[in-house]
């Protein structure tokens, strides 16, 4: 079920929008102030935002601008004044749609539906391309399970691949050998943490220019390993 965030300080309007959207099967949350609205939009897993322009705390322009730096979910901006809508449009803040109040709730629902399905199609088409991780000359294609170092493919065993991918996906984080062993090998698999050391050595031989001065996987003495960003 799609979750919709309404940022609107006029409670009667927010409640009306909420009722209609809920009747159409959406989950709805309301924030009545700009700062809480931005917080909620950034932190919760909302799929679409209905954003009023004039709000206490922070106005819709600033919310839209800040949100766009982090998220590409649909934003429908609303304002009581036609002039404001023209201004928002002119500013190119990245809103997907604009509505002048008062509008009919059923029109709002129709637009929400249209934007959500367009957004879902977009997400869907992105997911069809391979899932890759790229860091400084290393490209890990998770879908094809292939690794390229400066454009040249290198062959990795399953566990080497899993270990490299795990570290690269969690850069700047120190993991102990025990943590890595638990993450990559099955709990009941035979082996010990020395296996991790052996695998790190083999991975370094494939990805590092000089294994005595690792540029990617650093050894944090007495603790474990860290993938350098
Ligand atoms: Ca308002």
């Amino acid at each position: 079920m799609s979750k919709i965030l309404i940022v609107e300080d006029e409670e009667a309007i927010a409640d009306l929008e909420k009722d209609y959207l809920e009747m159409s099967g959406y989950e709805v949350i309301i924030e009545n102030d700009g700062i809480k609205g931005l917080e909620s939009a950034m932190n919760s897993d909302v799929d679409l935002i209905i954003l009023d322009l004039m709000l206490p705390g922070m106005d819709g322009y600033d919310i839209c601008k800040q949100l766009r730096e982090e998220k590409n979910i649909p934003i429908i901006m609303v304002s009581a004044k036609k002039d404001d809508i023209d201004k928002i449009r002119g500013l190119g803040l990245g809103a997907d749609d604009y509505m002048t109040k008062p509008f009919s709730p059923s029109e709002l629902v129709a637009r929400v539906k249209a934007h959500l399905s367009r957004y879902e199609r977009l997400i869907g088409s992105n997911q069809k391309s391979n899932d890759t991780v790229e860091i400084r000359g290393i490209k890990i294609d998770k879908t094809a399970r292939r690794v390229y170092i400066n454009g040249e493919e290198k062959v990795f065993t399953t566990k080497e691949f899993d270990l490299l991918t795990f570290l690269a996906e969690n850069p700047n984080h120190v993991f102990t050998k025990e943590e890595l062993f638990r993450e990559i090998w099955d709990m009941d698999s035979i082996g010990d943490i020395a296996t991790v050391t052996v695998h790190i050595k083999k991975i370094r031989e494939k990805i590092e220019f000089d294994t005595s001065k690792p540029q990617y996987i650093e050894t944090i003495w007495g603790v474990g390993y860290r993938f350098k960003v």
Side-chain angles (χ1 to χ4, degrees):
M1 185 180 21
S2 298
K3 199 198 265 182
I4 293 163
L5 169 65
I6 298 172
V7 188
E8 170 65 70
D9 58 326
E10 284 165 78
E11 282 179 38
I13 294 180
D15 289 342
L16 181 68
E17 291 173 357
K18 183 174 191 265
D19 287 348
Y20 271 82
L21 290 164
E22 282 180 346
M23 277 190 288
S24 305
Y26 298 110
E27 189 185 338
V28 178
I29 43 178
I30 297 176
E31 293 292 356
N32 298 118
D33 126 344
I35 292 165
K36 282 198 205 121
L38 179 63
E39 244 174 52
S40 197
M42 289 286 200
N43 302 328
S44 52
D45 52 343
V46 296
D47 301 292
L48 182 143
I49 299 170
I50 297 165
L51 180 60
D52 184 32
L53 181 61
M54 301 311 285
L55 292 162
M58 180 187 278
D59 68 26
Y61 295 119
D62 287 337
I63 295 175
C64 190
K65 213 161 75 188
Q66 292 198 33
L67 252 178
R68 269 296 169 256
E69 287 170 15
E70 301 281 330
K71 297 196 175 228
N72 61 348
I73 53 173
I75 301 174
I76 299 177
M77 285 194 82
V78 298
S79 172
K81 285 194 286 182
K82 168 92 176 47
D83 299 356
D84 288 337
I85 295 293
D86 291 340
K87 194 174 162 200
I88 301 166
R89 200 175 270 143
L91 285 172
L93 294 170
D96 297 87
D97 207 348
Y98 317 87
M99 295 179 83
T100 307
K101 289 191 262 187
F103 44 75
S104 79
S106 51
E107 189 188 347
L108 178 71
V109 170
R111 294 205 194 184
V112 163
K113 259 185 205 153
H115 283 289
L116 281 174
S117 65
R118 198 170 61 101
Y119 183 64
E120 275 152 21
R121 276 202 306 278
L122 192 76
I123 299 281
S125 64
N126 283 349
Q127 277 172 349
K128 272 178 214 132
S129 66
N130 284 9
D131 187 3
T132 61
V133 182
E134 286 184 62
I135 300 180
R136 289 185 292 118
I138 296 185
K139 181 179 170 187
I140 303 168
D141 184 335
K142 290 172 66 186
T143 315
R145 293 186 67 90
R146 300 173 97 161
V147 182
Y148 302 87
I149 313 298
N150 297 317
E152 193 193 336
E153 187 175 359
K154 301 269 176 165
V155 179
F156 284 71
T157 66
T158 305
K159 293 301 181 198
E160 286 166 9
F161 181 91
D162 290 345
L163 184 55
L164 173 66
T165 305
F166 178 72
L167 287 167
E169 283 191 311
N170 297 281
N172 242 346
H173 184 126
V174 182
F175 293 98
T176 64
K177 290 175 191 172
E178 285 83 352
E179 286 171 330
L180 292 172
F181 187 75
R182 250 182 283 132
E183 188 65 40
I184 307 301
W185 283 265
D186 295 329
M187 294 292 276
D188 53 357
S189 80
I190 299 163
D192 57 40
I193 58 167
T195 314
V196 176
T197 317
V198 172
H199 278 73
I200 292 283
K201 185 170 175 289
K202 286 184 177 159
I203 292 170
R204 278 182 175 150
E205 285 166 6
K206 293 171 193 180
I207 66 173
E208 298 286 359
F209 178 69
D210 179 351
T211 52
S212 67
K213 295 191 198 80
Q215 296 302 305
Y216 294 105
I217 300 173
E218 296 177 286
T219 301
I220 310 301
W221 293 107
V223 188
Y225 299 100
R226 173 173 65 194
F227 200 101
K228 233 158 101 173
V229 198

